[in-house]
Amino acid sequence: MHLALLALAATAAPAALAQGDAARGEAIALHRSQGLCVLCHAMPGQNPALQGTIGPPLAGVGSRLDAATLRQRLVAPEQFNPETVMPAYGRSTGLQQVAAAQRGKPLLTDAQIDDVVAWLATLR
Ligand code: HEC
């Protein structure tokens, strides 16, 4: 009984990661006051003159990294590089230089992060 439940939980996890909406995720990634990923990353299909080069290009990232790693990149980028300049999108504590109106709120909600992960996974 317990084993069956565990097996169910294990198979449910990847499905939960895949629940985001890729089109919404792309809009969030481009949005000036939401993701603004394009500030640091080249994104496929965008004007090359308006793309940052601080981070690696995101083209093909969906084949390089699995969904769990993509999500982790967004919520805890410092786990990959302690000195990273990439914002921790899902966190509301332990941040520096946060504007008053934004204090106590994450940059992106859990659902928005699911959408961005779904979009990143399509970049093959
Ligand atoms: C202020 C700059 C900055 C912003 C904004 C930013 N990133 Fe990053 N990102 C980086 C840097 C720099 C790296 C390289 C690893 C590191 O130093 O953290 C990175 C790494 C990544 C990686 C791993 C890429 C790979 O090929 O290994 C992903 C995925 C990623 N970012 C996605 C995003 C998404 C999606 C957004 C927007 C929601 C975003 N980033 C916003 C700077 C940024």
Side-chain angles (χ1 to χ4, degrees):
M1 172 65 183
H2 288 281
L3 271 179
L5 278 177
L6 272 178
L8 196 65
T11 52
L17 274 168
Q19 269 168 9
D21 180 310
R24 252 188 342 237
E26 180 172 22
I28 292 166
L30 286 168
H31 199 285
R32 286 184 162 284
S33 61
Q34 291 183 342
L36 196 55
C37 316
V38 76
L39 179 71
C40 297
H41 292 281
M43 287 170 42
Q46 300 304 315
N47 180 346
L50 301 177
Q51 305 186 345
T53 53
I54 294 169
L58 293 181
V61 78
S63 0
R64 290 198 297 278
L65 306 176
D66 63 21
T69 309
L70 289 170
R71 184 166 232 286
Q72 202 63 5
R73 279 276 179 190
L74 294 182
V75 296
E78 76 286 351
Q79 286 185 357
F80 302 90
N81 172 9
E83 313 274 283
T84 189
V85 294
M86 180 160 155
Y89 280 92
R91 194 178 308 140
S92 55
T93 55
L95 304 173
Q96 295 169 12
Q97 301 186 348
V98 179
Q102 190 63 30
R103 283 191 195 132
K105 298 180 203 155
L107 285 171
L108 297 177
T109 64
D110 262 1
Q112 287 175 317
I113 287 173
D114 287 343
D115 292 342
V116 174
V117 170
W119 166 68
L120 289 169
T122 68
L123 303 180
R124 301 261 155 189

